[in-house]
Amino acid sequence: MSTIKAVAARAGVSTATVSRALSNPEIVQPETRARVQEAIEALHYAPNHAAKSLRMLRTSKIMVMVPDVSNPFFSEVLRGAEEAAQGAGHSVLLGDTRGDETREAQYAEMLLRKEADGLIFLGHRMPPSLARVAAARGGHAPLVNACDFSAEHGVAGVHIDNSRAAAEAMGLLYSMGHRRVGVIAGPLESHLTRERLAGVERAAIAAGAERGLTIVHADYTIESGLQETTRLLAAPERPTAVFCFSDEIAVGALSACRARGVACPTGLSIVGFDDVRYARFLDPPLTTVRQPMAEIGRTAVKLLLDILAGEAAPREPVTLAHELVVRASTGPAS
Amino acid sequence: MSTIKAVAARAGVSTATVSRALSNPEIVQPETRARVQEAIEALHYAPNHAAKSLRMLRTSKIMVMVPDVSNPFFSEVLRGAEEAAQGAGHSVLLGDTRGDETREAQYAEMLLRKEADGLIFLGHRMPPSLARVAAARGGHAPLVNACDFSAEHGVAGVHIDNSRAAAEAMGLLYSMGHRRVGVIAGPLESHLTRERLAGVERAAIAAGAERGLTIVHADYTIESGLQETTRLLAAPERPTAVFCFSDEIAVGALSACRARGVACPTGLSIVGFDDVRYARFLDPPLTTVRQPMAEIGRTAVKLLLDILAGEAAPREPVTLAHELVVRASTGPAS
DNA sequence: GATGAAGATGTAAAGCATTACATAAGGGAG
DNA sequence: CTCCCTTATGTAATGCTTTACATCTTCATC
């Protein structure tokens, strides 16, 4: 490929002028600029990013670490992040960790090697090497957690009020007369799970229905939702409603109902979480807690860019609005 | 951050030795290596990637351009690609184009600026600046198309036999006695759409049912599937079956059926395409053409890495196996 | 006409790691 | 003991761009 030197030679100027013509056109004389432009086009010149990055100590890249890109929730958040990054002249480095600590550590390393200016992580675990960075720089570390925020890390974060959202979902079920309610939660290691469970319990206590509460744990996949729901349905005193911590789990729950001949919502009311794109198109359309997924992604990027721009005050975690969307998968307890 | 120079100073060796200790440990004396290692850890040294990349003229990055990350088909392919890239010591730069030519061109630029070693694109359009590269270097350009391959570009590609797959799907419907069949295809600009339509027509002719064929176009979204199916159902001689060019479209079709009180499959048989993760959990479980999504992603990366490794012969496009998966959304024509 | 400011462009250092080539030390063979 | 080969390490060039600082014009002002 051609270098800036070749362009400079062809245009009969110095490399400095070429550089200026590209990054600061108004300070070079129009005729000079035109000559440079001609040379650039003739030689198909494109500035070498590595050299630029080395010199400027910035990469214009943001690493986004997700547990599973093919999960519709994460992919929507990712999309929002990608959009915002792109809009701000950055690009997204994708890290799919599969929930694996080794992979997480590897991606975290990339930040230290300066392959990205900052990192957004969507899991609940912060790799140790990042924890060190965060500890050293506090809220100014170029790290943002999305969704599964835990204040103890001292890093910036975006999330919804998981506790309240869960309480509202449970409240809906209780208000419809359900007393035996199953909750298919995520893994307990996750801060998010614990937050939501706190909301669940609060709602159960408020409704005086703690005794009817059954909590089981799944891993957010359809299959685990199917399995746990099947188990719940087989119990002697089976629940009349389930609250699933993701729409994927809810899809599994619906599937379990069909397999056992239980109608939804008459036999079992189902509430999901996330409101992924297909939730409203399920049969029956799913009652669920909508998270503003794209907005979460965009906000995470915005926070990160603010930090990179060196904004003064350490960031408060941002809480975005959720919404309980009532559709046809919930009905009165029979 | 600390540099290799700092490490060298602390370990009492030259920077060359530090570099060797990292990339070629066996050629440095164990004691020296240990001293270097100690210094690296003490200083939390991590090699600056920009410098390395500048020097080595490689970035260890692969750009993957998708029309929409949040589409389950693309996100599965992406996941496969990410996995393979990661396994080969590369990382993935994500470009979500939203089908927008400007964005496509922007991401293509990144290849020219050497922000990535190669590019995999999942749309049907090849940005002009890449077409130039491809023309210049033929099958040796670091470009791979996944899914929507057109031989005319002269770039490497991975795909399934779309024409045959479509013919098989239609064949299933015809074998079940359907004569009036709707096809909800993708946009005609796409090579993939034209391939599949060729298969559709072949099957229709073989079944002597061309007259009963209605072809409409959607954009692969649930909403467009819903809309087109609604339209088909409203026709005076409405079809008894529809073949959708994606599972997302099929979800829309199912939704349209429910809205109009048409039972599936008794009132309308539905065939999808892709076999995304939730297809089998729909109600009824969706008959669909399975594409090996993760495998497509992995193969695309493999092809790209082969090209980057400078393998001799220009690559033949790779055709992977598909499979018609018959579930409950199809039944005999009534 | 001299002085100074403003504007345009050039010179060269800096950013950091890799590696070809040079050097030094150690060991074996003659 | 000398010479050569091997092994371990150092020296310095290289990859390409950006930008502080220097230089040179040009023009306005007194």
Side-chain angles (χ1 to χ4, degrees):
Chain A
M1 277 299 114
S2 52
T3 70
I4 198 172
K5 236 167 145 171
V7 174
R10 176 167 176 129
V13 298
S14 73
T15 60
T17 301
V18 176
S19 179
R20 284 189 278 251
L22 281 166
S23 55
N24 226 352
E26 57 288 3
I27 69 165
V28 344
Q29 199 118 64
E31 307 95 76
T32 316
R33 201 159 63 205
R35 277 208 323 283
V36 170
Q37 199 52 46
E38 183 278 332
I40 286 174
E41 275 156 26
L43 300 171
H44 298 313
Y45 170 70
N48 180 304
H49 182 78
K52 177 170 186 157
S53 168
L54 175 57
R55 176 61 225 230
M56 317 250 298
L57 305 176
R58 304 182 311 107
T59 61
S60 302
K61 284 182 183 51
I62 291 174
M63 163 110 239
V64 181
M65 221 165 85
V66 296
D68 176 3
V69 233
S70 64
N71 176 301
F73 173 74
F74 293 126
S75 69
E76 288 278 4
V77 176
L78 180 59
R79 185 168 155 97
E82 209 279 344
E83 183 193 18
Q86 154 85 359
H90 285 246
S91 40
V92 166
L93 264 168
L94 173 64
D96 188 316
T97 64
R98 303 176 172 232
D100 173 25
E101 284 196 59
T102 314
R103 280 201 175 81
E104 288 172 5
Q106 268 172 50
Y107 289 118
E109 266 285 296
M110 293 178 62
L111 194 60
L112 306 178
R113 283 196 301 258
K114 301 271 193 306
E115 294 195 60
D117 296 335
L119 184 147
I120 294 171
F121 62 109
L122 277 80
H124 57 88
R125 205 161 28 207
M126 176 140 90
S129 55
L130 294 185
R132 213 184 53 225
V133 174
R137 313 218 280 156
H140 295 291
L143 296 175
V144 176
N145 177 279
C147 309
D148 209 344
F149 180 75
S150 159
E152 84 211 44
H153 294 132
V155 307
V158 209
H159 52 170
I160 61 165
D161 186 336
N162 278 292
S163 165
R164 195 153 63 83
E168 286 169 16
M170 292 297 284
L172 172 72
L173 294 174
Y174 289 133
S175 74
M176 285 174 150
H178 295 278
R179 279 302 167 267
R180 291 193 311 282
V181 178
V183 174
I184 308 183
L188 263 180
E189 302 88 80
S190 157
H191 185 257
L192 174 153
T193 300
R194 298 197 301 272
E195 288 267 290
R196 289 188 193 166
L197 284 179
V200 163
E201 290 194 8
R202 215 167 52 239
I205 291 169
E210 302 117 284
R211 282 200 46 249
L213 198 60
T214 311
I215 294 170
V216 298
H217 296 272
D219 63 1
Y220 291 116
T221 60
I222 299 180
E223 288 77 5
S224 68
L226 171 57
Q227 182 183 323
E228 294 304 325
T229 308
T230 305
R231 192 169 303 169
L232 286 174
L233 290 177
E237 285 253 293
R238 80 180 195 204
T240 59
V242 286
F243 171 33
C244 305
F245 276 19
S246 80
D247 288 347
E248 296 264 288
I249 294 176
V251 169
L254 273 168
S255 190
C257 284
R258 278 198 302 281
R260 294 186 65 96
V262 174
C264 173
T266 43
L268 186 76
S269 282
I270 299 177
V271 179
F273 210 109
D274 295 343
D275 197 23
V276 300
R277 64 205 288 176
Y278 59 71
R280 76 175 67 205
F281 298 104
L282 293 172
D283 184 17
L286 189 67
T287 294
T288 189
V289 177
R290 175 181 303 157
Q291 294 205 61
M293 296 168 283
E295 184 66 19
I296 288 173
R298 285 192 295 264
T299 306
V301 167
K302 191 180 165 316
L303 281 181
L304 186 55
L305 294 176
D306 282 354
I307 292 171
L308 289 172
E311 69 137 43
R315 274 291 188 168
E316 285 297 299
V318 174
T319 304
L320 298 177
H322 63 269
E323 182 190 356
L324 179 60
V325 182
V326 182
R327 300 204 182 95
S329 68
T330 43
S334 48
Chain B
M1 278 298 116
S2 53
T3 70
I4 198 173
K5 235 166 145 173
V7 175
R10 176 167 177 130
V13 297
S14 73
T15 60
T17 301
V18 176
S19 178
R20 285 189 278 250
L22 281 166
S23 54
N24 226 353
E26 58 288 3
I27 68 166
V28 344
Q29 200 117 68
E31 307 94 78
T32 317
R33 201 159 61 205
R35 276 210 322 284
V36 170
Q37 199 52 45
E38 183 278 332
I40 286 174
E41 276 156 28
L43 300 171
H44 298 312
Y45 170 69
N48 179 304
H49 182 78
K52 179 170 186 158
S53 168
L54 174 59
R55 179 62 227 233
M56 316 254 292
L57 306 176
R58 302 183 310 105
T59 61
S60 302
K61 285 183 180 48
I62 291 174
M63 163 110 240
V64 180
M65 219 164 85
V66 296
D68 176 4
V69 234
S70 65
N71 175 302
F73 173 73
F74 294 125
S75 68
E76 288 278 3
V77 175
L78 180 59
R79 186 169 155 97
E82 209 278 345
E83 183 193 17
Q86 155 85 358
H90 285 247
S91 39
V92 166
L93 264 169
L94 173 64
D96 188 315
T97 65
R98 301 175 174 231
D100 173 24
E101 284 195 58
T102 314
R103 280 201 177 79
E104 286 172 6
Q106 267 172 50
Y107 289 118
E109 266 285 295
M110 293 178 62
L111 194 60
L112 306 177
R113 283 197 301 258
K114 300 270 194 310
E115 293 195 63
D117 296 335
L119 183 147
I120 293 171
F121 63 107
L122 278 79
H124 56 88
R125 206 161 29 206
M126 176 139 88
S129 55
L130 294 185
R132 212 182 56 225
V133 175
R137 312 220 279 156
H140 295 291
L143 296 176
V144 175
N145 177 278
C147 308
D148 208 343
F149 180 74
S150 160
E152 83 210 46
H153 293 133
V155 307
V158 209
H159 51 172
I160 61 164
D161 186 337
N162 279 293
S163 164
R164 193 153 65 81
E168 286 169 16
M170 292 298 285
L172 171 71
L173 294 174
Y174 289 133
S175 74
M176 285 176 150
H178 295 278
R179 279 302 167 266
R180 291 194 311 281
V181 178
V183 174
I184 308 183
L188 264 180
E189 303 87 79
S190 157
H191 185 258
L192 174 152
T193 300
R194 297 197 301 273
E195 289 266 291
R196 289 187 193 167
L197 283 179
V200 163
E201 289 193 7
R202 215 166 55 238
I205 290 169
E210 302 117 285
R211 281 200 46 249
L213 198 60
T214 310
I215 295 171
V216 297
H217 296 272
D219 64 1
Y220 290 116
T221 61
I222 299 181
E223 286 77 5
S224 69
L226 171 57
Q227 182 183 322
E228 295 304 326
T229 307
T230 305
R231 194 168 300 169
L232 287 173
L233 290 178
E237 286 252 292
R238 79 179 196 203
T240 59
V242 286
F243 171 32
C244 306
F245 276 20
S246 80
D247 289 347
E248 295 264 289
I249 294 176
V251 169
L254 273 168
S255 190
C257 285
R258 276 198 304 280
R260 294 186 64 95
V262 174
C264 173
T266 43
L268 186 76
S269 284
I270 299 178
V271 179
F273 210 108
D274 296 342
D275 198 22
V276 300
R277 65 205 290 175
Y278 59 71
R280 78 175 65 207
F281 298 103
L282 292 172
D283 185 16
L286 190 66
T287 294
T288 190
V289 177
R290 176 181 303 158
Q291 295 205 62
M293 295 168 283
E295 184 65 20
I296 288 173
R298 284 192 296 263
T299 307
V301 167
K302 192 179 165 317
L303 281 182
L304 186 56
L305 294 177
D306 283 353
I307 292 170
L308 289 173
E311 69 139 43
R315 273 294 187 165
E316 286 297 300
V318 174
T319 304
L320 298 177
H322 62 269
E323 184 190 355
L324 179 59
V325 183
V326 182
R327 300 203 181 95
S329 68
T330 42
S334 48

